[in-house]
Amino acid sequence: MKKKVLTVDDSRTIRNMLLVTLTNAGFETVQAEDGVEGLEVLEESNPDVIVTDINMPRLDGFGFIEGVRQNDRFRAIPILVLTTESDAEKKNRAREAGATGWIVKPFDPSKLIAAIERVTA
Amino acid sequence: MDMNEIKDIFFQECEEQLAELESGLLRINDGDTDPETVNAVFRAVHSIKGGAGAFGLDDLVAFAHVFETTLDCVRSNKIQATPELLKVMLKSADVLADLTAAARDGVSVDPSRTSTLVKELDAFAKGTPLPASAPAAEPVVAAAPAAAAPAPTDESGFQPVPFSFEGFDDEDAAAEPPQQDADGRSVFTVRFKPRSDLYAKGNEAVLLLRDLARVGDLQVICETEDLPAIDQLDPEGAYFSWLIRVETDKDEEAIRHVFEFAEWDCLIEVTPGADEELFSVHSDSGEDLPMAPVPFDLSMLDEEPAVPAEEATPSNVVELAKPAAAVQEPAAAAEAPMAAPNLPRAEKAIAAEAEKKEAAVAAVPAAPQTIRVDLDRVDRLINLVGELVINQAMLAQSVVENETGGSSAINLGLEELQQLTREIQDSVMAIRAQPVKPVFQRMGRIVREIADMTGKSVRLVTEGENTEVDKTVIDKLAEPLTHMIRNAVDHGLETPEKRAALGKNPEGVLRLTAKHRSGRIVIEIADDGAGINRERVRAKAIENGLIAPDQNLSDEEIDNLIFHPGFSTAEKLSDISGRGVGMDVVKRSIQQLGGRISIASKPGKGSVFTMSLPLTLAVLDGMVVTVANQTLVVPLTAIVETLQPEKADIHAFGPSQRLIAIRDTFCPLVDVGHILNFRPDLANPIDGVALLVESEGGGQRALMVDAIQGQRQVVIKSLEANYTNVPGIAAATILGDGRVALILDVDAVVTASRGQALSSEMTLSATG
Amino acid sequence: MSAPGNDMRELIAFTSGGQEFCVDVTAVREIRGWTPATPLPHSPGYVRGVINLRGVVLPVMDMALRLGMKQTDPDQRHVIIVIQTGSQLIGLMVDSVSDILAVPVADIQQPPDIGHHMDRDFVQGIIPIDDRMVSLIQLSALFGFLESEAA
């Protein structure tokens, strides 16, 4: 069965890149534009792994991750943070919020896929 | 979808982000202190940087990064958003827009433009950082010193370092392995003890060990001595640790990489060499999953996610601290504060923020759903609806002509058809309606540029930017608006010194307003400058032969002379406001949109330019009239009233002029048939109808037509599409009988009636 | 009818003012009957006005008058050749459409220089067909007045 990835990113550009990359790699992809929509889509789509941006309107990546972790159904789902932030503080906060790992933009498709495979069974 | 399409999307998105950026900066400039505004501004730049990075647009990335760094300082209250900083940021927004456009068009931007701003932004970012800014990352430094080291942020050093997954390909180890056997392979011992946080964050010990198996050959011992009795077992606790012998041709770094995601939530030790005796005891089978040699059922780990919520004990924090304390490693002391209830201040702040966010989430109303549609499709729909309207009218007319009116069913059906057609038309028009915001936002930049060039200090205030109007109108609005804004700053506002001397605020205010009024959009450009210098205007008009030296003109008439075709063309224009274009051309272009423009000015107080435009360029409410056997449509908005002239009302005035008495004023009479060259002689006013029209700046005129057929909405068809513009005619339409009728350009006709021949008027407008 | 090769040109021939002319078939969008046109003020005399071509406002030109001959007094028998030039559509009012010709390029002769503006400006070449003579119209010259004003 295809693994399902939920991507959360407010940039149309990045959403499209993720969609193309993940679809080509054989993943099923569902997308959301911000943390609020991400939490909504999460409920109905039941993904295997989540890739999320940090800087987003309405609810940012930190809040989104915390929201996911508070949901009993998803508190152990792998969450990868996709961010241009390379500094430690941002990673740190993402981790405290409950992120599983991170990928630094601009991402290389093969690295994205490798990271997803690394956190999913 | 391919990369080129995504690139197109990126540039589209950039435009939206740039607009967001500018409007946010302007709001902050106006005193908006909502943190979300700064966040939105930051996100805009951040998003552009992110996309640009993906496409390797290095210039854009580099500049966006510096900009973003400074914005981040503002966002985290490290520096203040002073007016000086905002000025630099607004300039940076302009440069960012230029860099984006350059990247899209594959050209480059003069590096000197960016380098100055980079220095300025950098200075702001470094200038006054608050001393309290650093300790946020403190508590974890002990646990992960390498990761917590502050990243260098100087502009040259920016290089997003992608996380490396090389651990599982066969990359050459850079450092010399400490202990190599004959094959060049090294042996390490890895002690891996997860804390429950590791599982809580979606990591899996099993998966990590699987990854480790890709680095080299493993021998694994699972240590279970921490496992409590079953009645004390916390289902979410972490009780196992692993001791792993790794034989690999890679280095220690490759091993650590495997645990990078997990390094803060587990104890991980990598030491060269291994206690071969210990491992030899357990090495019955090395080829299976790392777990295999461990005589322990790991299934509970797999089931962990399925544990019902109720079983998660409320005293979670205490339980978590327990296994950590049991670890006899010095690092445990450093880890403890993270899980302890007395969270460091920064973490509390994050938690509080998260709570606030959650509250905000609940309050945010669902955003309206939108789809993106190709403009071509909408235009095609609009054209088709236009045809439908014409067809419906033709059908109605032929029913009337065939006198099948006896059947009420047909009439009823026709009526319903008409109603539906109208509704469809309105709905389709609404699709293309757009807020004027993007155009207004562009004006901000125009103001900044010209203020810079003229040394004036200007604040642009916009109101009603969400007022909607048809996209075709918006597209054509930018140019006349640009000229008028330039004109207002260049000619309207005084220099700061002069303003100060006059007791005015040295900073001039330009107010740009949009609103709907009686089915039209009204846009005002008001400045608080010197107002029209009527002496000079009058003198210039006399000099250019526009008025006689002794002509008596009202203030309003003098002000409106600036729109006269002969006025500014003779003036030596400053290249800022003019670019060779006078206000007459601005007026013409607005008239071509079916719009009007007027000016009201108060000496010393400033001027207000008001333009009123139709909400759409697709349909028009018109009065259908007959002139010299031709059917013409006169825009209803231009008509003040209709009159049936009496012989006694008509007075000859000079050799060829006639005036009509309306109440107690005399209004020039204009024979439309004659002025359009449809008939050589003037018609007798008594035989026709007079339409009293108001033209911008020209006062009132009575337009003579032969008869009025009725009022109706018509679909506007461009004459320019297949022909060229026709003096005195604004556009064409198709009537119910299937024939083309022309739509009168009232202002052009009125202007022509003042002695300006229509054709020469056309030549002037064509030069614009 | 087989497609003409590179050395052949396919042309639509028509009569206007009693003379025979032709235009390249690729420029012709359609041919339709005459309908009364709405006159345009302040336009050259050869512009008869505009008609409704299925929702498109189509300017119609009196071909004979444009070529410097007598003004046409149009009736039901006259036809309008709808020409596409660039993105614009323009109707040519002519007496009738007479033929579709496939002519070898080699048969198209240079028009003789007789100093009259019609030949010099509008006729690109002349083609002998049996005992007839057909003049090939230079369309860009015909509509040149539009471009200069629209610019």
Side-chain angles (χ1 to χ4, degrees):
Chain A
M1 207 180 84
K2 274 188 178 183
K3 275 183 211 154
K4 194 189 278 183
V5 185
L6 166 63
T7 74
V8 189
D9 199 311
D10 61 328
S11 158
R12 241 177 13 255
T13 311
I14 301 295
R15 277 203 305 279
N16 278 296
M17 292 187 114
L18 286 169
L19 183 65
V20 170
T21 306
L22 293 171
T23 307
N24 287 344
F27 290 99
E28 188 182 338
T29 310
V30 283
Q31 300 201 301
E33 295 184 12
D34 58 38
V36 174
E37 198 193 349
L39 291 176
E40 285 164 13
V41 175
L42 176 71
E43 284 290 343
E44 65 214 32
S45 63
N46 204 9
D48 298 299
V49 59
I50 297 171
V51 177
T52 182
D53 188 24
I54 288 297
N55 287 290
M56 294 182 292
R58 295 210 289 168
L59 179 64
D60 66 13
F62 304 127
F64 168 70
I65 296 168
E66 282 162 6
V68 175
R69 290 294 177 232
Q70 279 160 17
N71 182 324
D72 288 327
R73 273 173 68 204
F74 300 105
R75 52 189 171 153
I77 190 174
I79 304 175
L80 293 173
V81 174
L82 180 65
T83 173
T84 45
E85 312 302 343
S86 48
D87 71 292
E89 198 197 334
K90 295 273 161 47
K91 273 190 214 166
N92 211 350
R93 280 191 60 190
R95 170 163 299 279
E96 280 159 13
T100 310
W102 64 91
I103 305 155
V104 176
K105 287 189 274 192
F107 63 85
D108 170 339
S110 64
K111 287 180 180 167
L112 171 73
I113 300 307
I116 288 176
E117 282 181 344
R118 157 177 235 186
V119 296
T120 52
Chain B
M1 180 159 336
D2 62 16
M3 282 313 264
N4 280 334
E5 284 171 69
I6 297 176
K7 210 167 177 175
D8 288 345
I9 290 170
F10 167 65
F11 286 119
Q12 271 174 26
E13 199 174 9
C14 278
E15 275 184 31
E16 292 160 24
Q17 303 288 5
L18 287 165
E20 185 74 28
L21 167 65
E22 191 182 354
S23 73
L25 287 174
L26 289 171
R27 261 179 285 148
I28 297 168
N29 205 16
D30 289 343
D32 183 341
T33 53
D34 184 353
E36 185 43 39
T37 310
V38 184
N39 280 337
V41 164
F42 175 86
R43 272 200 306 274
V45 178
H46 184 75
S47 240
I48 291 172
K49 184 178 111 179
F55 293 108
L57 305 169
D58 298 338
D59 290 355
L60 195 51
V61 171
F63 187 75
H65 176 70
V66 177
F67 197 174
E68 180 196 78
T69 305
T70 310
L71 277 167
D72 200 24
C73 292
V74 176
R75 190 167 72 145
S76 53
N77 291 319
K78 286 175 194 165
I79 58 172
Q80 288 289 313
T82 58
E84 295 73 37
L85 174 57
L86 278 159
K87 204 169 170 193
V88 171
M89 292 225 200
L90 280 163
K91 265 190 201 163
S92 303
D94 294 344
V95 167
L96 194 64
D98 290 348
L99 284 167
T100 308
R104 182 190 53 216
D105 304 337
V107 296
S108 56
V109 168
D110 178 7
S112 67
R113 290 196 59 200
T114 54
S115 60
T116 327
L117 280 171
V118 163
K119 281 189 201 115
E120 284 181 82
L121 285 170
D122 220 35
F124 274 110
K126 286 177 177 156
T128 52
L130 298 176
S133 61
E138 207 85 280
V140 291
V141 168
T153 48
D154 73 80
E155 75 270 22
S156 57
F158 169 66
Q159 184 57 260
V161 183
F163 173 68
S164 164
F165 293 92
E166 285 89 354
F168 35 79
D169 7 282
D170 38 9
E171 192 202 51
D172 295 328
E176 194 72 12
Q179 188 185 358
Q180 289 191 338
D181 59 19
D183 310 328
R185 289 167 73 86
S186 323
V187 173
F188 297 93
T189 302
V190 177
R191 177 183 285 274
F192 169 44
K193 180 167 175 48
R195 290 183 292 117
S196 55
D197 276 8
L198 180 110
Y199 303 111
K201 285 169 189 170
N203 267 310
E204 269 296 342
V206 177
L207 294 175
L208 291 168
L209 293 177
R210 185 188 66 183
D211 255 11
L212 189 60
R214 291 178 189 159
V215 176
D217 298 331
L218 308 186
Q219 280 177 286
V220 182
I221 300 170
C222 181
E223 298 176 324
T224 57
E225 55 261 40
D226 290 336
L227 192 69
I230 195 75
D231 57 336
Q232 287 169 357
L233 189 128
D234 171 9
E236 301 206 337
Y239 302 108
F240 307 107
S241 58
W242 284 268
L243 205 58
I244 310 142
R245 179 189 185 276
V246 187
E247 188 176 336
T248 177
D249 51 8
K250 303 199 179 75
D251 64 354
E252 187 181 325
E253 204 43 44
I255 295 171
R256 288 204 177 269
H257 261 141
V258 171
F259 296 96
E260 180 164 9
F261 287 170
E263 65 194 354
W264 296 336
D265 299 314
C266 65
L267 174 74
I268 180 88
E269 282 180 338
V270 182
T271 47
D275 181 346
E276 300 296 347
E277 217 172 291
L278 176 66
F279 282 100
S280 64
V281 176
H282 292 274
S283 63
D284 343 306
S285 69
E287 63 214 26
D288 280 337
L289 262 185
M291 275 70 233
V294 183
F296 190 82
D297 180 14
L298 283 173
S299 61
M300 63 178 300
L301 264 186
D302 297 333
E303 283 163 17
E304 188 208 41
V307 171
E310 300 87 276
E311 290 184 32
T313 56
S315 53
N316 220 358
V317 178
V318 180
E319 292 291 326
L320 281 176
K322 208 203 261 170
V327 177
Q328 292 160 17
E329 303 292 334
E335 285 170 29
M338 284 190 70
N342 56 337
L343 292 165
R345 178 176 303 196
E347 291 185 338
K348 270 191 185 151
I350 291 165
E353 199 185 308
E355 260 177 52
K356 230 166 58 194
K357 285 249 170 67
E358 239 169 80
V361 170
V364 168
Q369 295 237 322
T370 56
I371 55 165
R372 303 181 75 84
V373 181
D374 229 24
L375 194 60
D376 285 349
R377 293 194 194 178
V378 178
D379 286 347
R380 184 168 155 67
L381 188 60
I382 284 174
N383 282 336
L384 284 173
V385 172
E387 298 313 305
L388 183 66
V389 171
I390 290 164
N391 250 286
Q392 176 265 322
M394 287 166 74
L395 185 62
Q397 185 152 341
S398 63
V399 167
V400 171
E401 279 164 8
N402 292 327
E403 289 178 21
T404 40
S407 161
S408 62
I410 291 180
N411 280 332
L412 207 65
L414 263 179
E415 233 166 72
E416 270 173 24
L417 179 63
Q418 184 172 4
Q419 178 83 19
L420 282 171
T421 311
R422 264 272 180 166
E423 275 176 32
I424 292 174
Q425 191 171 31
D426 288 348
S427 313
V428 170
M429 290 304 165
I431 295 177
R432 225 169 37 171
Q434 302 264 311
V436 294
K437 196 173 176 180
V439 183
F440 273 26
Q441 275 177 339
R442 266 198 269 169
M443 295 307 130
R445 176 170 189 171
I446 307 283
V447 168
R448 285 195 292 280
E449 282 176 351
I450 193 179
D452 255 15
M453 285 165 82
T454 55
K456 288 175 184 173
S457 175
V458 192
R459 189 157 63 91
L460 179 70
V461 179
T462 56
E463 280 167 31
E465 46 187 20
N466 289 322
T467 310
E468 288 194 337
V469 65
D470 193 281
K471 192 176 178 346
T472 50
V473 178
I474 288 185
D475 293 345
K476 292 183 174 163
L477 209 55
E479 210 185 309
L481 214 49
T482 303
H483 288 309
M484 290 167 71
I485 295 264
R486 285 205 179 106
N487 192 69
V489 176
D490 193 19
H491 296 311
L493 293 174
E494 311 92 332
T495 58
E497 300 76 37
K498 196 171 173 194
R499 288 179 68 91
L502 289 165
K504 287 177 162 184
N505 186 336
E507 185 184 57
V509 175
L510 203 59
R511 195 173 289 275
L512 186 57
T513 320
K515 59 190 165 214
H516 282 149
R517 191 196 289 156
S518 52
R520 288 170 80 83
I521 183 169
V522 176
I523 295 173
E524 276 183 10
I525 299 158
D527 67 67
D528 65 348
I532 297 273
N533 184 339
R534 298 201 173 107
E535 294 285 292
R536 251 183 67 205
V537 168
R538 195 190 158 89
K540 190 170 290 176
I542 293 168
E543 192 187 311
N544 293 343
L546 302 178
I547 53 170
D550 53 352
Q551 201 162 333
N552 207 352
L553 294 172
S554 67
D555 285 350
E556 197 195 337
E557 283 172 312
I558 294 175
D559 291 347
N560 278 293
L561 282 171
I562 63 164
F563 294 118
H564 200 284
F567 185 76
S568 53
T569 43
E571 187 187 5
K572 188 180 172 292
L573 290 155
S574 82
D575 69 325
I576 298 163
S577 63
R579 293 215 174 153
V581 175
M583 288 305 283
D584 60 318
V585 177
V586 171
K587 184 178 180 179
R588 276 306 295 175
S589 61
I590 289 165
Q591 283 173 339
Q592 274 165 7
L593 294 174
R596 295 184 295 235
I597 183 167
S598 64
I599 178 175
S601 183
K602 275 192 189 142
K605 301 269 189 215
S607 309
V608 182
F609 287 88
T610 306
M611 50 180 170
S612 113
L613 293 161
L615 291 179
T616 170
L617 300 182
V619 290
L620 167 137
D621 283 306
M623 186 171 281
V624 184
V625 300
T626 311
V627 174
N629 295 324
Q630 298 296 324
T631 300
L632 284 178
V633 178
V634 183
L636 217 50
T637 46
I639 300 174
V640 180
E641 62 175 302
T642 59
L643 304 162
Q644 188 65 62
E646 303 283 332
K647 192 164 192 295
D649 299 334
I650 312 295
H651 305 275
F653 183 69
S656 60
Q657 287 275 13
R658 287 170 299 177
L659 302 182
I660 181 170
I662 301 165
R663 290 173 283 274
D664 49 1
T665 62
F666 291 95
C667 179
L669 203 57
V670 180
D671 182 353
V672 174
H674 181 70
I675 211 156
L676 290 182
N677 233 0
F678 283 165
R679 58 182 161 225
D681 304 313
L682 292 171
N684 186 352
I686 314 296
D687 301 336
V689 183
L691 310 175
L692 189 63
V693 297
E694 182 118 43
S695 82
E696 294 306 324
Q700 294 189 332
R701 290 288 188 281
L703 299 187
M704 281 298 312
V705 299
D706 299 352
I708 292 176
Q709 296 178 22
Q711 288 181 13
R712 52 171 302 187
Q713 192 178 51
V714 298
V715 176
I716 300 173
K717 298 276 179 183
S718 155
L719 269 177
E720 279 96 338
N722 289 319
Y723 191 56
T724 174
N725 89 331
V726 177
I729 301 300
T733 187
I734 295 166
L735 291 179
D737 60 3
R739 287 193 59 176
V740 177
L742 303 177
I743 300 171
L744 199 68
D745 183 344
V746 170
D747 283 317
V749 166
V750 169
T751 310
S753 74
R754 282 203 221 109
Q756 198 89 31
L758 269 173
S759 40
S760 67
E761 166 94 352
M762 181 182 123
T763 318
L764 271 172
S765 73
T767 58
Chain C
M1 185 168 44
S2 63
N6 281 343
D7 49 351
M8 297 289 282
R9 281 186 74 177
E10 215 175 342
L11 305 161
I12 286 192
F14 57 90
T15 55
S16 187
Q19 297 183 17
E20 208 169 359
F21 300 92
C22 62
V23 290
D24 204 290
V25 77
T26 53
V28 177
R29 275 277 294 267
E30 65 178 279
I31 294 162
R32 51 162 299 155
W34 167 251
T35 40
T38 302
L40 294 170
H42 303 283
S43 289
Y46 49 78
V47 176
R48 291 297 299 210
V50 283
I51 63 166
N52 168 18
L53 181 74
R54 290 184 306 279
V56 173
V57 176
L58 182 81
V60 177
M61 202 184 274
D62 181 340
M63 191 64 187
L65 195 57
R66 180 68 176 130
L67 297 177
M69 296 181 288
K70 222 180 92 210
Q71 179 169 339
T72 312
D73 191 11
D75 59 37
Q76 296 285 332
R77 288 165 306 179
H78 287 87
V79 293
I80 295 170
I81 303 174
V82 181
I83 301 282
Q84 173 132 30
T85 166
S87 62
Q88 293 191 311
L89 291 177
I90 294 168
L92 298 182
M93 182 180 75
V94 302
D95 296 345
S96 63
V97 169
S98 50
D99 213 347
I100 295 176
L101 310 168
V103 178
V105 172
D107 287 6
I108 302 173
Q109 303 172 8
Q110 282 284 14
D113 182 7
I114 56 162
H116 186 274
H117 85 274
M118 174 185 108
D119 307 307
R120 201 175 50 238
D121 296 340
F122 301 132
V123 177
Q124 195 177 8
I126 49 178
I127 305 159
I129 309 273
D130 305 329
D131 53 350
R132 291 140 61 197
M133 184 198 79
V134 181
S135 302
L136 178 61
I137 295 290
Q138 170 97 44
L139 285 172
S140 56
L142 216 51
F143 306 129
F145 77 106
L146 283 180
E147 282 154 34
S148 63
E149 285 176 44

